[in-house]
PDB file of all heavy atoms in Angstrom:
ATOM      1  N   ILE A  89       6.610 -13.865   2.810  1.00  0.00           N
ATOM      2  CA  ILE A  89       5.932 -12.652   2.290  1.00  0.00           C
ATOM      3  C   ILE A  89       6.212 -12.594   0.875  1.00  0.00           C
ATOM      4  O   ILE A  89       7.390 -12.353   0.400  1.00  0.00           O
ATOM      5  CB  ILE A  89       6.341 -11.335   2.980  1.00  0.00           C
ATOM      6  CG1 ILE A  89       6.082 -11.454   4.540  1.00  0.00           C
ATOM      7  CG2 ILE A  89       5.751 -10.138   2.374  1.00  0.00           C
ATOM      8  CD1 ILE A  89       6.759 -10.294   5.232  1.00  0.00           C
ATOM      9  N   MET A  90       5.275 -12.842  -0.041  1.00  0.00           N
ATOM     10  CA  MET A  90       5.437 -12.860  -1.430  1.00  0.00           C
ATOM     11  C   MET A  90       4.894 -11.524  -2.027  1.00  0.00           C
ATOM     12  O   MET A  90       3.755 -11.237  -1.896  1.00  0.00           O
ATOM     13  CB  MET A  90       4.735 -14.053  -2.162  1.00  0.00           C
ATOM     14  CG  MET A  90       5.223 -15.387  -1.640  1.00  0.00           C
ATOM     15  SD  MET A  90       4.216 -16.753  -1.896  1.00  0.00           S
ATOM     16  CE  MET A  90       2.897 -16.503  -0.768  1.00  0.00           C
ATOM     17  N   LEU A  91       5.875 -10.775  -2.698  1.00  0.00           N
ATOM     18  CA  LEU A  91       5.524  -9.512  -3.214  1.00  0.00           C
ATOM     19  C   LEU A  91       5.289  -9.613  -4.744  1.00  0.00           C
ATOM     20  O   LEU A  91       6.026 -10.236  -5.495  1.00  0.00           O
ATOM     21  CB  LEU A  91       6.573  -8.496  -2.932  1.00  0.00           C
ATOM     22  CG  LEU A  91       6.786  -8.096  -1.450  1.00  0.00           C
ATOM     23  CD1 LEU A  91       7.847  -7.188  -1.268  1.00  0.00           C
ATOM     24  CD2 LEU A  91       5.497  -7.593  -0.824  1.00  0.00           C
ATOM     25  N   LEU A  92       4.237  -8.996  -5.212  1.00  0.00           N
ATOM     26  CA  LEU A  92       3.917  -8.877  -6.648  1.00  0.00           C
ATOM     27  C   LEU A  92       3.626 -10.175  -7.271  1.00  0.00           C
ATOM     28  O   LEU A  92       4.036 -10.461  -8.479  1.00  0.00           O
ATOM     29  CB  LEU A  92       4.948  -8.091  -7.406  1.00  0.00           C
ATOM     30  CG  LEU A  92       5.346  -6.736  -6.894  1.00  0.00           C
ATOM     31  CD1 LEU A  92       6.389  -6.057  -7.779  1.00  0.00           C
ATOM     32  CD2 LEU A  92       4.208  -5.759  -6.519  1.00  0.00           C
ATOM     33  N   PRO A  93       2.853 -11.132  -6.631  1.00  0.00           N
ATOM     34  CA  PRO A  93       2.570 -12.398  -7.253  1.00  0.00           C
ATOM     35  C   PRO A  93       1.639 -12.291  -8.451  1.00  0.00           C
ATOM     36  O   PRO A  93       1.646 -13.215  -9.295  1.00  0.00           O
ATOM     37  CB  PRO A  93       1.886 -13.200  -6.146  1.00  0.00           C
ATOM     38  CG  PRO A  93       1.255 -12.148  -5.226  1.00  0.00           C
ATOM     39  CD  PRO A  93       2.242 -10.961  -5.341  1.00  0.00           C
ATOM     40  N   ALA A  94       0.829 -11.223  -8.617  1.00  0.00           N
ATOM     41  CA  ALA A  94      -0.041 -11.032  -9.645  1.00  0.00           C
ATOM     42  C   ALA A  94      -0.143  -9.632 -10.044  1.00  0.00           C
ATOM     43  O   ALA A  94      -1.217  -9.190 -10.426  1.00  0.00           O
ATOM     44  CB  ALA A  94      -1.374 -11.710  -9.405  1.00  0.00           C
ATOM     45  N   TRP A  95       0.855  -8.880  -9.978  1.00  0.00           N
ATOM     46  CA  TRP A  95       0.813  -7.388 -10.218  1.00  0.00           C
ATOM     47  C   TRP A  95       1.140  -7.068 -11.592  1.00  0.00           C
ATOM     48  O   TRP A  95       2.168  -7.485 -12.115  1.00  0.00           O
ATOM     49  CB  TRP A  95       1.826  -6.621  -9.226  1.00  0.00           C
ATOM     50  CG  TRP A  95       1.554  -5.226  -9.169  1.00  0.00           C
ATOM     51  CD1 TRP A  95       2.273  -4.249  -9.759  1.00  0.00           C
ATOM     52  CD2 TRP A  95       0.434  -4.540  -8.447  1.00  0.00           C
ATOM     53  NE1 TRP A  95       1.692  -2.999  -9.609  1.00  0.00           N
ATOM     54  CE2 TRP A  95       0.636  -3.178  -8.749  1.00  0.00           C
ATOM     55  CE3 TRP A  95      -0.569  -5.022  -7.742  1.00  0.00           C
ATOM     56  CZ2 TRP A  95      -0.296  -2.292  -8.158  1.00  0.00           C
ATOM     57  CZ3 TRP A  95      -1.460  -4.083  -7.154  1.00  0.00           C
ATOM     58  CH2 TRP A  95      -1.305  -2.786  -7.398  1.00  0.00           C
ATOM     59  N   PRO A  96       0.304  -6.376 -12.328  1.00  0.00           N
ATOM     60  CA  PRO A  96       0.561  -5.990 -13.716  1.00  0.00           C
ATOM     61  C   PRO A  96       1.844  -5.154 -13.853  1.00  0.00           C
ATOM     62  O   PRO A  96       2.036  -4.229 -13.103  1.00  0.00           O
ATOM     63  CB  PRO A  96      -0.686  -5.183 -14.162  1.00  0.00           C
ATOM     64  CG  PRO A  96      -1.767  -5.551 -13.193  1.00  0.00           C
ATOM     65  CD  PRO A  96      -1.041  -5.897 -11.852  1.00  0.00           C
ATOM     66  N   LYS A  97       2.692  -5.478 -14.776  1.00  0.00           N
ATOM     67  CA  LYS A  97       3.975  -4.778 -14.949  1.00  0.00           C
ATOM     68  C   LYS A  97       3.746  -3.353 -15.266  1.00  0.00           C
ATOM     69  O   LYS A  97       4.678  -2.462 -14.997  1.00  0.00           O
ATOM     70  CB  LYS A  97       4.759  -5.393 -16.109  1.00  0.00           C
ATOM     71  CG  LYS A  97       5.298  -6.832 -15.705  1.00  0.00           C
ATOM     72  CD  LYS A  97       6.145  -7.320 -16.810  1.00  0.00           C
ATOM     73  CE  LYS A  97       6.597  -8.773 -16.709  1.00  0.00           C
ATOM     74  NZ  LYS A  97       6.690  -9.451 -15.526  1.00  0.00           N
ATOM     75  N   ASN A  98       2.649  -2.939 -15.845  1.00  0.00           N
ATOM     76  CA  ASN A  98       2.371  -1.560 -16.254  1.00  0.00           C
ATOM     77  C   ASN A  98       1.688  -0.665 -15.178  1.00  0.00           C
ATOM     78  O   ASN A  98       1.336   0.424 -15.340  1.00  0.00           O
ATOM     79  CB  ASN A  98       1.621  -1.456 -17.585  1.00  0.00           C
ATOM     80  CG  ASN A  98       0.284  -2.051 -17.452  1.00  0.00           C
ATOM     81  OD1 ASN A  98       0.070  -2.983 -16.619  1.00  0.00           O
ATOM     82  ND2 ASN A  98      -0.711  -1.586 -18.256  1.00  0.00           N
ATOM     83  N   TRP A  99       1.541  -1.288 -13.973  1.00  0.00           N
ATOM     84  CA  TRP A  99       0.846  -0.557 -12.892  1.00  0.00           C
ATOM     85  C   TRP A  99       1.978  -0.142 -11.833  1.00  0.00           C
ATOM     86  O   TRP A  99       2.690  -0.936 -11.394  1.00  0.00           O
ATOM     87  CB  TRP A  99      -0.100  -1.410 -12.155  1.00  0.00           C
ATOM     88  CG  TRP A  99      -1.462  -1.581 -12.807  1.00  0.00           C
ATOM     89  CD1 TRP A  99      -1.807  -1.261 -14.005  1.00  0.00           C
ATOM     90  CD2 TRP A  99      -2.586  -2.245 -12.206  1.00  0.00           C
ATOM     91  NE1 TRP A  99      -3.102  -1.717 -14.291  1.00  0.00           N
ATOM     92  CE2 TRP A  99      -3.621  -2.316 -13.153  1.00  0.00           C
ATOM     93  CE3 TRP A  99      -2.780  -2.833 -10.968  1.00  0.00           C
ATOM     94  CZ2 TRP A  99      -4.835  -2.856 -12.945  1.00  0.00           C
ATOM     95  CZ3 TRP A  99      -4.082  -3.373 -10.689  1.00  0.00           C
ATOM     96  CH2 TRP A  99      -5.046  -3.435 -11.710  1.00  0.00           C
ATOM     97  N   ASP A 100       2.066   1.235 -11.613  1.00  0.00           N
ATOM     98  CA  ASP A 100       2.986   1.706 -10.614  1.00  0.00           C
ATOM     99  C   ASP A 100       2.142   2.000  -9.302  1.00  0.00           C
ATOM    100  O   ASP A 100       0.895   2.306  -9.397  1.00  0.00           O
ATOM    101  CB  ASP A 100       3.619   3.076 -11.120  1.00  0.00           C
ATOM    102  CG  ASP A 100       4.565   2.868 -12.221  1.00  0.00           C
ATOM    103  OD1 ASP A 100       4.981   1.713 -12.545  1.00  0.00           O
ATOM    104  OD2 ASP A 100       4.847   3.851 -12.908  1.00  0.00           O
ATOM    105  N   VAL A 101       2.752   1.831  -8.241  1.00  0.00           N
ATOM    106  CA  VAL A 101       2.027   1.976  -6.926  1.00  0.00           C
ATOM    107  C   VAL A 101       3.012   2.309  -5.818  1.00  0.00           C
ATOM    108  O   VAL A 101       4.150   1.908  -5.802  1.00  0.00           O
ATOM    109  CB  VAL A 101       1.287   0.728  -6.643  1.00  0.00           C
ATOM    110  CG1 VAL A 101       2.102  -0.435  -6.334  1.00  0.00           C
ATOM    111  CG2 VAL A 101       0.210   0.917  -5.436  1.00  0.00           C
ATOM    112  N   ASP A 102       2.463   3.115  -4.828  1.00  0.00           N
ATOM    113  CA  ASP A 102       3.164   3.273  -3.513  1.00  0.00           C
ATOM    114  C   ASP A 102       2.238   2.454  -2.552  1.00  0.00           C
ATOM    115  O   ASP A 102       0.989   2.561  -2.688  1.00  0.00           O
ATOM    116  CB  ASP A 102       3.113   4.730  -3.059  1.00  0.00           C
ATOM    117  CG  ASP A 102       4.003   5.573  -3.893  1.00  0.00           C
ATOM    118  OD1 ASP A 102       5.184   5.207  -4.013  1.00  0.00           O
ATOM    119  OD2 ASP A 102       3.594   6.679  -4.329  1.00  0.00           O
ATOM    120  N   PHE A 103       2.837   1.618  -1.730  1.00  0.00           N
ATOM    121  CA  PHE A 103       2.057   0.765  -0.925  1.00  0.00           C
ATOM    122  C   PHE A 103       2.620   0.646   0.521  1.00  0.00           C
ATOM    123  O   PHE A 103       3.814   0.909   0.820  1.00  0.00           O
ATOM    124  CB  PHE A 103       1.886  -0.592  -1.454  1.00  0.00           C
ATOM    125  CG  PHE A 103       3.217  -1.360  -1.561  1.00  0.00           C
ATOM    126  CD1 PHE A 103       3.627  -2.180  -0.511  1.00  0.00           C
ATOM    127  CD2 PHE A 103       4.017  -1.231  -2.672  1.00  0.00           C
ATOM    128  CE1 PHE A 103       4.819  -2.908  -0.595  1.00  0.00           C
ATOM    129  CE2 PHE A 103       5.159  -1.971  -2.778  1.00  0.00           C
ATOM    130  CZ  PHE A 103       5.629  -2.794  -1.695  1.00  0.00           C
ATOM    131  N   LYS A 104       1.709   0.448   1.414  1.00  0.00           N
ATOM    132  CA  LYS A 104       2.065   0.120   2.811  1.00  0.00           C
ATOM    133  C   LYS A 104       1.055  -0.934   3.370  1.00  0.00           C
ATOM    134  O   LYS A 104      -0.164  -0.516   3.426  1.00  0.00           O
ATOM    135  CB  LYS A 104       2.079   1.319   3.719  1.00  0.00           C
ATOM    136  CG  LYS A 104       2.507   1.097   5.160  1.00  0.00           C
ATOM    137  CD  LYS A 104       2.593   2.405   5.913  1.00  0.00           C
ATOM    138  CE  LYS A 104       3.093   2.166   7.300  1.00  0.00           C
ATOM    139  NZ  LYS A 104       3.240   3.414   8.088  1.00  0.00           N
ATOM    140  N   LEU A 105       1.433  -2.110   3.612  1.00  0.00           N
ATOM    141  CA  LEU A 105       0.563  -3.204   3.959  1.00  0.00           C
ATOM    142  C   LEU A 105       1.066  -3.826   5.275  1.00  0.00           C
ATOM    143  O   LEU A 105       2.310  -3.811   5.553  1.00  0.00           O
ATOM    144  CB  LEU A 105       0.470  -4.221   2.890  1.00  0.00           C
ATOM    145  CG  LEU A 105      -0.126  -3.778   1.528  1.00  0.00           C
ATOM    146  CD1 LEU A 105       0.079  -4.825   0.407  1.00  0.00           C
ATOM    147  CD2 LEU A 105      -1.552  -3.370   1.691  1.00  0.00           C
ATOM    148  N   ASN A 106       0.095  -4.396   6.029  1.00  0.00           N
ATOM    149  CA  ASN A 106       0.434  -5.153   7.141  1.00  0.00           C
ATOM    150  C   ASN A 106       0.538  -6.622   6.857  1.00  0.00           C
ATOM    151  O   ASN A 106      -0.333  -7.106   6.070  1.00  0.00           O
ATOM    152  CB  ASN A 106      -0.591  -5.007   8.274  1.00  0.00           C
ATOM    153  CG  ASN A 106      -0.533  -3.535   8.853  1.00  0.00           C
ATOM    154  OD1 ASN A 106       0.477  -2.963   9.078  1.00  0.00           O
ATOM    155  ND2 ASN A 106      -1.689  -3.035   9.083  1.00  0.00           N
ATOM    156  N   ALA A 107       1.521  -7.286   7.323  1.00  0.00           N
ATOM    157  CA  ALA A 107       1.729  -8.770   7.126  1.00  0.00           C
ATOM    158  C   ALA A 107       1.681  -9.398   8.495  1.00  0.00           C
ATOM    159  O   ALA A 107       1.813  -8.736   9.508  1.00  0.00           O
ATOM    160  CB  ALA A 107       3.062  -8.997   6.368  1.00  0.00           C
ATOM    161  N   PRO A 108       1.549 -10.731   8.504  1.00  0.00           N
ATOM    162  CA  PRO A 108       1.606 -11.464   9.776  1.00  0.00           C
ATOM    163  C   PRO A 108       2.855 -11.259  10.536  1.00  0.00           C
ATOM    164  O   PRO A 108       3.894 -10.811  10.014  1.00  0.00           O
ATOM    165  CB  PRO A 108       1.427 -12.907   9.369  1.00  0.00           C
ATOM    166  CG  PRO A 108       0.794 -12.898   7.991  1.00  0.00           C
ATOM    167  CD  PRO A 108       1.286 -11.651   7.399  1.00  0.00           C
ATOM    168  N   TYR A 109       2.828 -11.600  11.815  1.00  0.00           N
ATOM    169  CA  TYR A 109       3.940 -11.517  12.705  1.00  0.00           C
ATOM    170  C   TYR A 109       4.401 -10.013  13.003  1.00  0.00           C
ATOM    171  O   TYR A 109       5.552  -9.682  13.020  1.00  0.00           O
ATOM    172  CB  TYR A 109       5.181 -12.328  12.295  1.00  0.00           C
ATOM    173  CG  TYR A 109       4.803 -13.804  12.097  1.00  0.00           C
ATOM    174  CD1 TYR A 109       4.479 -14.345  10.928  1.00  0.00           C
ATOM    175  CD2 TYR A 109       4.808 -14.554  13.296  1.00  0.00           C
ATOM    176  CE1 TYR A 109       4.072 -15.647  10.782  1.00  0.00           C
ATOM    177  CE2 TYR A 109       4.458 -15.934  13.128  1.00  0.00           C
ATOM    178  CZ  TYR A 109       4.109 -16.455  11.941  1.00  0.00           C
ATOM    179  OH  TYR A 109       3.728 -17.853  11.801  1.00  0.00           O
ATOM    180  N   ASN A 110       3.352  -9.091  13.074  1.00  0.00           N
ATOM    181  CA  ASN A 110       3.556  -7.777  13.456  1.00  0.00           C
ATOM    182  C   ASN A 110       4.523  -7.035  12.426  1.00  0.00           C
ATOM    183  O   ASN A 110       5.441  -6.368  12.856  1.00  0.00           O
ATOM    184  CB  ASN A 110       4.171  -7.666  14.792  1.00  0.00           C
ATOM    185  CG  ASN A 110       3.227  -6.964  15.816  1.00  0.00           C
ATOM    186  OD1 ASN A 110       2.136  -6.468  15.434  1.00  0.00           O
ATOM    187  ND2 ASN A 110       3.599  -6.843  17.002  1.00  0.00           N
ATOM    188  N   THR A 111       4.357  -7.326  11.163  1.00  0.00           N
ATOM    189  CA  THR A 111       5.167  -6.823  10.154  1.00  0.00           C
ATOM    190  C   THR A 111       4.527  -5.802   9.264  1.00  0.00           C
ATOM    191  O   THR A 111       3.360  -5.936   8.924  1.00  0.00           O
ATOM    192  CB  THR A 111       5.672  -8.003   9.248  1.00  0.00           C
ATOM    193  OG1 THR A 111       6.258  -9.001  10.095  1.00  0.00           O
ATOM    194  CG2 THR A 111       6.673  -7.583   8.172  1.00  0.00           C
ATOM    195  N   THR A 112       5.241  -4.764   8.892  1.00  0.00           N
ATOM    196  CA  THR A 112       4.793  -3.729   7.980  1.00  0.00           C
ATOM    197  C   THR A 112       5.719  -3.877   6.767  1.00  0.00           C
ATOM    198  O   THR A 112       6.897  -3.897   6.833  1.00  0.00           O
ATOM    199  CB  THR A 112       4.928  -2.308   8.599  1.00  0.00           C
ATOM    200  OG1 THR A 112       4.148  -2.299   9.791  1.00  0.00           O
ATOM    201  CG2 THR A 112       4.352  -1.274   7.587  1.00  0.00           C
ATOM    202  N   VAL A 113       5.008  -3.845   5.571  1.00  0.00           N
ATOM    203  CA  VAL A 113       5.704  -3.916   4.266  1.00  0.00           C
ATOM    204  C   VAL A 113       5.335  -2.625   3.537  1.00  0.00           C
ATOM    205  O   VAL A 113       4.230  -2.376   3.242  1.00  0.00           O
ATOM    206  CB  VAL A 113       5.299  -5.197   3.500  1.00  0.00           C
ATOM    207  CG1 VAL A 113       5.986  -5.173   2.152  1.00  0.00           C
ATOM    208  CG2 VAL A 113       5.478  -6.402   4.285  1.00  0.00           C
ATOM    209  N   GLN A 114       6.348  -1.818   3.230  1.00  0.00           N
ATOM    210  CA  GLN A 114       6.208  -0.515   2.550  1.00  0.00           C
ATOM    211  C   GLN A 114       7.129  -0.452   1.416  1.00  0.00           C
ATOM    212  O   GLN A 114       8.320  -0.796   1.471  1.00  0.00           O
ATOM    213  CB  GLN A 114       6.419   0.605   3.565  1.00  0.00           C
ATOM    214  CG  GLN A 114       6.053   1.962   2.985  1.00  0.00           C
ATOM    215  CD  GLN A 114       6.160   3.013   4.088  1.00  0.00           C
ATOM    216  OE1 GLN A 114       6.356   2.719   5.330  1.00  0.00           O
ATOM    217  NE2 GLN A 114       5.919   4.258   3.643  1.00  0.00           N
ATOM    218  N   GLY A 115       6.638   0.126   0.329  1.00  0.00           N
ATOM    219  CA  GLY A 115       7.526   0.374  -0.816  1.00  0.00           C
ATOM    220  C   GLY A 115       6.830   1.007  -1.994  1.00  0.00           C
ATOM    221  O   GLY A 115       5.770   1.545  -1.844  1.00  0.00           O
ATOM    222  N   LYS A 116       7.492   0.853  -3.154  1.00  0.00           N
ATOM    223  CA  LYS A 116       6.963   1.491  -4.303  1.00  0.00           C
ATOM    224  C   LYS A 116       7.253   0.525  -5.472  1.00  0.00           C
ATOM    225  O   LYS A 116       8.270  -0.165  -5.494  1.00  0.00           O
ATOM    226  CB  LYS A 116       7.672   2.772  -4.592  1.00  0.00           C
ATOM    227  CG  LYS A 116       7.240   3.651  -5.711  1.00  0.00           C
ATOM    228  CD  LYS A 116       7.933   5.020  -5.618  1.00  0.00           C
ATOM    229  CE  LYS A 116       7.214   5.946  -6.493  1.00  0.00           C
ATOM    230  NZ  LYS A 116       7.703   7.330  -6.340  1.00  0.00           N
ATOM    231  N   VAL A 117       6.335   0.506  -6.463  1.00  0.00           N
ATOM    232  CA  VAL A 117       6.560  -0.291  -7.641  1.00  0.00           C
ATOM    233  C   VAL A 117       6.577   0.697  -8.848  1.00  0.00           C
ATOM    234  O   VAL A 117       5.685   1.527  -8.976  1.00  0.00           O
ATOM    235  CB  VAL A 117       5.461  -1.408  -7.983  1.00  0.00           C
ATOM    236  CG1 VAL A 117       5.670  -2.059  -9.205  1.00  0.00           C
ATOM    237  CG2 VAL A 117       5.404  -2.310  -6.709  1.00  0.00           C
ATOM    238  N   GLU A 118       7.671   0.618  -9.568  1.00  0.00           N
ATOM    239  CA  GLU A 118       7.839   1.457 -10.822  1.00  0.00           C
ATOM    240  C   GLU A 118       8.278   0.579 -11.882  1.00  0.00           C
ATOM    241  O   GLU A 118       9.309  -0.125 -11.771  1.00  0.00           O
ATOM    242  CB  GLU A 118       8.740   2.657 -10.582  1.00  0.00           C
ATOM    243  CG  GLU A 118       8.240   3.803  -9.785  1.00  0.00           C
ATOM    244  CD  GLU A 118       9.164   4.950  -9.749  1.00  0.00           C
ATOM    245  OE1 GLU A 118      10.304   4.900 -10.299  1.00  0.00           O
ATOM    246  OE2 GLU A 118       8.792   5.961  -9.092  1.00  0.00           O
TER     247      GLU A 118
END
Side-chain angles (χ1 to χ4, degrees):
I89 300 169
M90 298 165 286
L91 297 179
L92 310 183
W95 195 257
K97 291 184 188 334
N98 61 333
W99 284 9
D100 293 343
V101 67
D102 291 311
F103 64 92
K104 183 176 184 180
L105 298 169
N106 293 318
Y109 300 97
N110 245 357
T111 304
T112 302
V113 179
Q114 184 173 356
K116 189 173 191 171
V117 177
E118 282 186 1

